[in-house]
């Protein structure tokens, strides 16, 4: 199939936390190789590797020091080649993170070719996503450089032809090695408004998100690089609506295949402040997802996700990580998997891994979390209040090591893990995956259904019970197939008219008996029928 990625299920690996093979407490490439059988058993098609390039790890690899070298903690280029070969042998594919909005300040270019970066005599008021000004003064040069993220992540100047060509050459190098595509880090921030205007209250996003030349750059990247390979591309595009999303992903745009939208990830936070909780209803969440489903009905293609290395664990966020952990983890997966788009699973999601709460701030490792904590403390806020925010939203929630076994260090490492393991590993781990009721087994079933039912690719998407505060129900339909999905996002038992069709899958061992459809707490049920022709 030409657009093979429409049929695929992607699994994201955060290498630092996946599997350590040499006892240094940090996950590595050989560790991933050891676990390829596990991924094959799960049934996924594509692995997305978060950055494995050489890096001083100010932002865990999202600060690249050398694009053609492997981070020493993760192994060597030979390990990488072995990994790629083994992935391909299993009939799977591998995509890499492409981090080209910025490099590390330790990249050679920053000292030897500083003109590849963005310099100004005077800073404007833009703030970095990791706190503080987005501009850092450089003594030697007597100017400020822009860093939308940490000050060790200077932004590249995409206005320069030389920068773009250097990046394209680097991309070709990896593609010629045989990788199968890229997940593109904050790709919609490459083009900055060259007037560098101040933004309201320091928010410069209007001047660099989906900036003036972004589509020009992506078309050029496509012409020069992407279109010459049979690959998949997924752009990370914060603060982007469906209209702009279509410009990125419509085939006639010749830019990207898919993007990661953030709208549904923003539903529980105040606009522009991830730390500030916001009460929301299922109606709102559903509206957002529907908006994206409808916008991409004819053209373009969605990515479907609840989790990644930047987001809290979905079962803790949208489900119930205590009483109904298993049910709600499976329900969330059901809700996602039958929508139109390519599903992404983040490591541990298939086990229902949960958020973490460390008592002391010193246990946390993420630069964004640490900066937030210290900035807020300086402003006089209490430790307890800030920790509550970190428990809800901190990125380390997703970064605790993968829970392989109930044995020492969850089977992640024989050494001291770089970040503490969630103590619930004794009960939440891969050992129970062969149990027919396990979350893992449920994901296996969902993944295999995705391969069997053409309606999942071609079918239109329609919501029903649109105003229901607890149950998310939708249908997918072609001329010959009809699928109805019911997901209870609450602990209440609910009853509806029985839909036509056979139960395709459900997250309780048996559907409740009775004439009407009964949904128990967090129950998900999918009905399927073929139309008589
Ligand atoms: C988005 C990545 O997903 C995140 O982890 C990183 O910190 C920023 N981009 C900066 O590269």
């Amino acid at each position: 199939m030409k657009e093979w990625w429409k049929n695929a299920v992607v699994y994201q690996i955060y290498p630092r936390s996946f599997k350590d093979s040499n006892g240094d407490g940090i996950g590595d490439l050989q560790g991933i190789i050891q676990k390829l059988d596990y991924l094959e058993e799960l049934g996924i098609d594509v692995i997305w590797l978060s950055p494995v390039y050489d890096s001083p790890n100010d932002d865990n690899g999202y600060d690249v020091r050398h694009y053609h070298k492997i981070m020493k903690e993760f192994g060597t280029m030979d390990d990488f080649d072995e990994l790629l070969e083994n992935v391909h042998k299993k009939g799977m594919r591998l995509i890499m993170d492409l981090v080209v909005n910025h490099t590390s300040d330790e990249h050679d270019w920053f000292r030897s070719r500083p003109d590849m970066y963005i310099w100004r005599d005077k800073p404007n008021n833009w703030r970095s996503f990791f706190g503080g000004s987005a501009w850092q003064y450089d003594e030697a040069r007597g100017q400020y450089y822009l860093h939308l993220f940490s000050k060790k992540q200077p932004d590249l100047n995409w206005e320069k032809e030389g920068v773009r060509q250097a990046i394209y050459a680097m991309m070709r190098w990896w593609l010629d090695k045989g990788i199968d595509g890229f997940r593109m880090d904050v790709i919609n921030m490459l083009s900055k408004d060259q007037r560098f205007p101040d933004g309201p209250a320091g928010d410069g996003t209007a001047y660099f998100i989906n900036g003036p030349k972004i589509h020009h750059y992506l078309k050029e990247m496509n012409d020069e690089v992407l279109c010459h390979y049979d690959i998949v591309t997924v752009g990370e595009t914060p603060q982007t609506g469906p209209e702009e999303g279509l410009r990125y992903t419509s085939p006639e745009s010749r830019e990207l295949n898919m993007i990661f939208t953030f709208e549904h990830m923003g539903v529980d936070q105040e606009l522009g402040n991830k730390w500030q909780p916001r009460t929301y209803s299922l109606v709102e969440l559903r509206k957002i997802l529907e908006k994206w489903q409808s916008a991409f009905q004819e053209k373009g293609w969605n990515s479907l996700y609840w989790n990644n290395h930047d987001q809290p664990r979905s079962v803790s966020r949208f489900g119930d990580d205590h009483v109904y952990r298993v049910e709600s983890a499976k329900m969330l997966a059901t809700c996602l998997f039958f929508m139109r788009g390519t599903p992404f699973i983040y490591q541990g999601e298939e086990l229902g891994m949960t958020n973490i709460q460390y008592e002391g701030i010193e246990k946390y490792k993420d630069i964004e979390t640490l900066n937030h904590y210290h900035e807020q403390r300086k402003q006089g806020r209490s430790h307890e209040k800030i920790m509550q925010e970190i428990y809800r939203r901190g990125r380390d929630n997703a970064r605790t090591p993968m829970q392989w076994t109930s044995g020492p260090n969850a089977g992640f490492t024989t050494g001291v893990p770089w970040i503490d393991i969630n103590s619930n590993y004794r009960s939440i781990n891969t050992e129970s995956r062969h149990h027919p009721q396990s979350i893992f087994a449920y994901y296996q079933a969902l993944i295999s259904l995705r391969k069997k039912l053409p309606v999942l690719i071609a079918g239109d998407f329609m919501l029903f019970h649109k105003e229901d505060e607890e149950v998310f129900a939708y249908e997918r339909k072609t001329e010959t197939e009809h699928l109805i999905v019911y997901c209870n996002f609450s602990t209440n038992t609910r009853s509806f008219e029985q839909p036509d069709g056979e139960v395709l899958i459900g997250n309780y061992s048996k559907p409740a008996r009775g004439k009407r459809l009964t949904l128990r707490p967090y129950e998900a049920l999918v009905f399927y029928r073929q139309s008589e022709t």
Side-chain angles (χ1 to χ4, degrees):
M1 176 176 166
K2 207 171 134 266
E3 293 175 321
W4 52 265
W5 38 270
K6 288 193 172 172
N7 259 324
V9 176
V10 184
Y11 186 93
Q12 183 192 354
I13 292 183
Y14 195 66
R16 207 174 181 79
S17 301
F18 192 62
K19 172 72 184 150
D20 174 21
S21 72
N22 63 359
D24 66 357
I26 298 174
D28 49 42
L29 298 181
Q30 283 298 332
I32 300 174
I33 294 172
Q34 286 174 15
K35 292 298 180 186
L36 288 179
D37 289 348
Y38 169 85
L39 297 178
E40 188 179 34
E41 192 185 328
L42 181 58
I44 56 106
D45 307 282
V46 180
I47 297 172
W48 151 26
L49 269 191
S50 274
V52 295
Y53 314 97
D54 174 41
S55 163
N57 283 307
D58 195 48
D59 186 18
N60 285 357
Y62 284 92
D63 47 326
V64 179
R65 181 164 49 200
H66 201 305
Y67 286 110
H68 303 286
K69 283 190 185 155
I70 297 294
M71 190 191 298
K72 64 178 185 318
E73 296 89 325
F74 291 173
T76 62
M77 196 56 84
D78 285 345
D79 295 323
F80 180 85
D81 293 341
E82 191 183 331
L83 171 64
L84 185 59
E85 199 187 323
N86 282 303
V87 168
H88 285 163
K89 264 196 207 141
K90 289 198 178 292
M92 299 192 282
R93 291 177 159 100
L94 184 87
I95 69 175
M96 303 274 284
D97 225 297
L98 181 80
V99 190
V100 293
N101 174 68
H102 44 266
T103 67
S104 163
D105 65 339
E106 295 182 32
H107 193 294
D108 265 355
W109 290 342
F110 195 57
R111 291 293 153 215
S112 64
R113 297 173 63 186
D115 288 347
M116 292 178 76
Y117 298 82
I118 299 172
W119 297 91
R120 303 265 295 167
D121 292 334
K122 276 207 200 114
N124 62 14
N125 72 352
W126 297 359
R127 291 181 56 80
S128 143
F129 287 105
F130 292 162
S133 166
W135 298 90
Q136 175 69 23
Y137 188 63
D138 181 86
E139 289 283 347
R141 194 173 163 116
Q143 278 189 312
Y144 295 81
Y145 64 84
L146 178 68
H147 60 90
L148 294 180
F149 294 89
S150 102
K151 56 174 183 264
K152 284 185 67 63
Q153 292 167 296
D155 280 51
L156 283 164
N157 187 353
W158 274 73
E159 295 282 319
K160 304 253 171 164
E161 169 85 25
V163 167
R164 304 202 301 276
Q165 289 305 329
I167 297 297
Y168 301 156
M170 177 274 283
M171 292 170 73
R172 283 185 208 106
W173 188 89
W174 281 100
L175 291 166
D176 289 341
K177 221 183 212 314
I179 66 160
D180 303 290
F182 293 110
R183 173 270 185 186
M184 302 184 175
D185 192 64
V186 290
I187 202 68
N188 63 337
M189 301 190 192
L190 302 184
S191 167
K192 280 86 179 171
D193 185 325
Q194 292 303 295
R195 296 165 302 162
F196 293 93
D198 277 344
D203 175 12
T205 52
Y207 305 110
F208 60 78
I209 288 200
N210 306 323
K213 294 195 187 146
I214 186 61
H215 294 287
H216 167 76
Y217 295 155
L218 289 178
K219 284 185 205 317
E220 180 182 88
M221 181 191 281
N222 193 306
D223 270 3
E224 297 235 358
V225 186
L226 306 175
C227 75
H228 304 288
Y229 300 85
D230 177 22
I231 55 172
V232 63
T233 52
V234 193
E236 190 201 24
T237 56
Q239 297 184 36
T240 296
E243 213 171 287
E244 192 71 26
L246 266 182
R247 290 185 68 190
Y248 285 116
T249 61
S250 284
E252 62 264 29
S253 296
R254 295 175 58 84
E255 296 183 18
L256 305 172
N257 299 136
M258 292 179 250
I259 56 165
F260 287 126
T261 161
F262 278 68
E263 254 191 289
H264 64 308
M265 291 285 111
V267 74
D268 58 352
Q269 70 190 43
E270 285 304 333
L271 197 65
N273 181 0
K274 70 176 264 178
W275 304 105
Q276 181 80 47
R278 172 180 175 276
T279 331
Y280 70 96
S281 66
L282 182 65
V283 179
E284 277 177 88
L285 176 63
R286 188 173 40 208
K287 260 197 194 134
I288 296 172
L289 292 165
E290 181 195 24
K291 185 165 78 177
W292 284 85
Q293 287 287 306
S294 331
F296 286 47
Q297 197 103 277
E298 304 292 327
K299 284 181 189 166
W301 190 248
N302 271 303
S303 69
L304 306 170
Y305 76 99
W306 290 126
N307 284 276
N308 61 41
H309 63 292
D310 293 330
Q311 299 293 337
R313 290 279 178 183
S314 61
V315 70
S316 304
R317 184 179 189 183
F318 299 113
D320 172 345
D321 62 5
H322 291 289
V323 183
Y324 295 108
R325 188 185 64 85
V326 173
E327 290 81 359
S328 63
K330 292 179 185 173
M331 182 280 289
L332 287 167
T334 314
C335 183
L336 197 78
F337 262 69
F338 291 98
M339 284 194 249
R340 191 161 188 272
T342 298
F344 283 68
I345 304 171
Y346 177 68
Q347 65 186 42
E349 188 175 351
E350 75 282 14
L351 308 175
M353 277 178 62
T354 66
N355 279 352
I356 187 81
Q357 297 194 357
Y358 305 124
E359 244 169 62
I361 188 67
E362 61 291 343
K363 294 275 187 196
Y364 285 84
K365 306 291 175 198
D366 174 28
I367 179 168
E368 181 191 55
T369 294
L370 296 174
N371 286 357
H372 175 67
Y373 179 86
H374 296 300
E375 223 176 63
Q376 295 294 306
R377 285 296 279 155
K378 260 192 223 147
Q379 290 176 20
R381 293 189 58 222
S382 75
H383 169 79
E384 289 70 26
K385 282 227 167 88
I386 311 168
M387 291 315 282
Q388 286 312 317
E389 295 170 348
I390 293 172
Y391 294 159
R392 276 188 68 254
R393 289 303 263 117
R395 303 196 298 181
D396 284 337
N397 281 313
R399 299 177 181 186
T400 62
M402 180 73 179
Q403 295 167 198
W404 295 104
T405 70
S406 54
N409 290 326
F412 164 69
T413 180
T414 53
V416 180
W418 71 276
I419 186 167
D420 281 3
I421 294 169
N422 194 320
S423 57
N424 64 18
Y425 73 88
R426 290 181 193 86
S427 54
I428 304 174
N429 58 61
T430 67
E431 282 168 350
S432 54
R433 71 184 185 281
H434 299 303
H435 189 286
Q437 299 301 328
S438 72
I439 302 173
F440 182 93
Y442 194 80
Y443 268 87
Q444 280 179 315
L446 288 177
I447 294 170
S448 78
L449 281 174
R450 279 204 61 100
K451 312 271 138 95
K452 286 190 200 129
L453 306 177
V455 66
L456 289 179
I457 308 294
D460 286 346
F461 172 95
M462 262 162 308
L463 278 184
F464 48 104
H465 305 307
K466 276 188 176 198
E467 297 307 319
D468 199 294
E469 297 277 353
E470 296 173 337
V471 171
F472 191 147
Y474 62 87
E475 59 184 337
R476 300 288 311 279
K477 210 166 149 183
T478 60
E479 277 182 8
T480 52
E481 290 177 288
H482 194 174
L483 195 112
I484 293 184
V485 181
Y486 268 91
C487 291
N488 187 355
F489 273 69
S490 81
T491 50
N492 295 330
T493 296
R494 297 289 310 276
S495 137
F496 295 89
E497 200 181 311
Q498 188 78 38
D500 288 342
E502 278 174 31
V503 173
L504 189 66
I505 190 166
N507 65 345
Y508 275 61
S509 52
K510 278 195 189 115
R513 283 164 177 264
K515 283 217 175 92
R516 282 175 67 78
L517 164 66
T518 302
L519 293 175
R520 289 158 288 186
Y522 291 104
E523 183 155 10
L525 272 173
V526 182
F527 297 85
Y528 179 75
R529 68 168 194 269
Q530 282 179 333
S531 325
E532 298 96 53
T533 40

